[in-house]
Amino acid sequence: RKDLLTKVVPFFEKYPILSSKSKDFAKFAFVVRQMEKSVHLTREGLVDLLKVAFSMNGAGRYRRLKLEDVLNSLESSETIRQTPERVKI
């Protein structure tokens, strides 16, 4: 992430992409900067960043997983983490 913040993002901001990918790059740079601020460490922040990421690259029409599937997997893993451990006898 450090290289993305200090090298890649500044380079493409100095020398902008001239194709339709420029909007995707702006979203990418936003996500990287938000992750540097640890926004992704909260459930709400992670969901917000996932929504931005899934809006990139043609809204992900060629992705294996849909946004809803990823969000549902977050729910199930949250449930698993909150389940108390079994007591060994």
Side-chain angles (χ1 to χ4, degrees):
R1 189 171 352 152
K2 179 183 171 191
D3 284 342
L4 291 174
L5 285 168
T6 61
K7 297 175 183 174
V8 176
V9 171
F11 175 85
F12 284 108
E13 287 176 338
K14 185 174 182 179
Y15 305 102
I17 299 170
L18 300 177
S19 70
S20 61
K21 291 288 183 183
S22 63
K23 291 179 183 175
D24 282 345
F25 172 75
K27 292 176 183 179
F28 170 78
F30 172 77
V31 169
V32 170
R33 288 188 173 115
Q34 292 301 97
M35 288 179 68
E36 183 64 18
K37 296 177 184 176
S38 300
V39 169
H40 67 294
L41 297 179
T42 66
R43 185 189 187 298
E44 182 180 300
L46 179 60
V47 169
D48 290 344
L49 293 181
L50 282 170
K51 288 177 182 177
V52 172
F54 270 77
S55 73
M56 295 168 54
N57 300 320
R61 64 180 156 251
Y62 299 110
R63 284 194 181 97
R64 285 187 309 146
L65 298 175
K66 296 186 184 308
L67 176 61
E68 296 79 26
D69 296 334
V70 174
L71 295 177
N72 287 337
S73 72
L74 288 176
E75 291 296 327
S76 63
S77 65
E78 184 69 22
T79 303
I80 292 168
R81 277 197 302 271
Q82 291 179 2
T83 304
E85 292 184 40
R86 293 182 181 200
V87 178
K88 294 181 182 180
I89 302 177

